[in-house]
């Protein structure tokens, strides 16, 4: 996670491990958990949403709202 943006929403930041260069960042409100592999990043939020992002560029691949527990 990165520091909050100007609107105080935390940023999810992808870093290239060899160079340390920032690949992309995205503001995501209420991040609870982040799971990732070489191809995808899955973010769960406090609002019960799962967002799937492409690891290479942060492009959204889809979003679903989970049913309440």
């Amino acid at each position: 996670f990165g520091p909050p943006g100007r609107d105080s929403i935390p940023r999810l930041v992808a870093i290239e491990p060899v160079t340390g260069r920032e690949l992309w960042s995205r503001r995501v409100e209420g991040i609870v958990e982040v799971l990732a592999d070489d191809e995808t990043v899955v973010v769960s939020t406090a609002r019960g949403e799962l967002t799937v992002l492409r690891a290479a560029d942060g492009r959204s691949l889809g979003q679903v709202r989970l049913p309440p527990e």
Side-chain angles (χ1 to χ4, degrees):
F1 302 107
R6 292 184 184 144
D7 53 9
S8 76
I9 296 174
R11 293 183 312 130
L12 181 65
V13 181
I15 303 293
E16 206 290 318
V18 175
T19 65
R21 181 177 65 91
E22 182 178 310
L23 297 174
W24 54 266
S25 70
R26 184 179 186 101
R27 288 185 292 222
V28 181
E29 189 172 351
I31 296 173
V32 173
E33 188 170 7
V34 178
L35 303 170
D37 63 19
D38 291 340
E39 296 179 18
T40 56
V41 178
V42 179
V43 181
S44 67
T45 70
R47 292 180 289 175
E49 297 171 345
L50 286 180
T51 300
V52 181
L53 307 170
R54 186 166 36 197
D57 58 12
R59 182 173 151 239
S60 178
L61 299 175
Q63 186 175 42
V64 296
R65 181 173 290 276
L66 300 174
E69 291 185 47

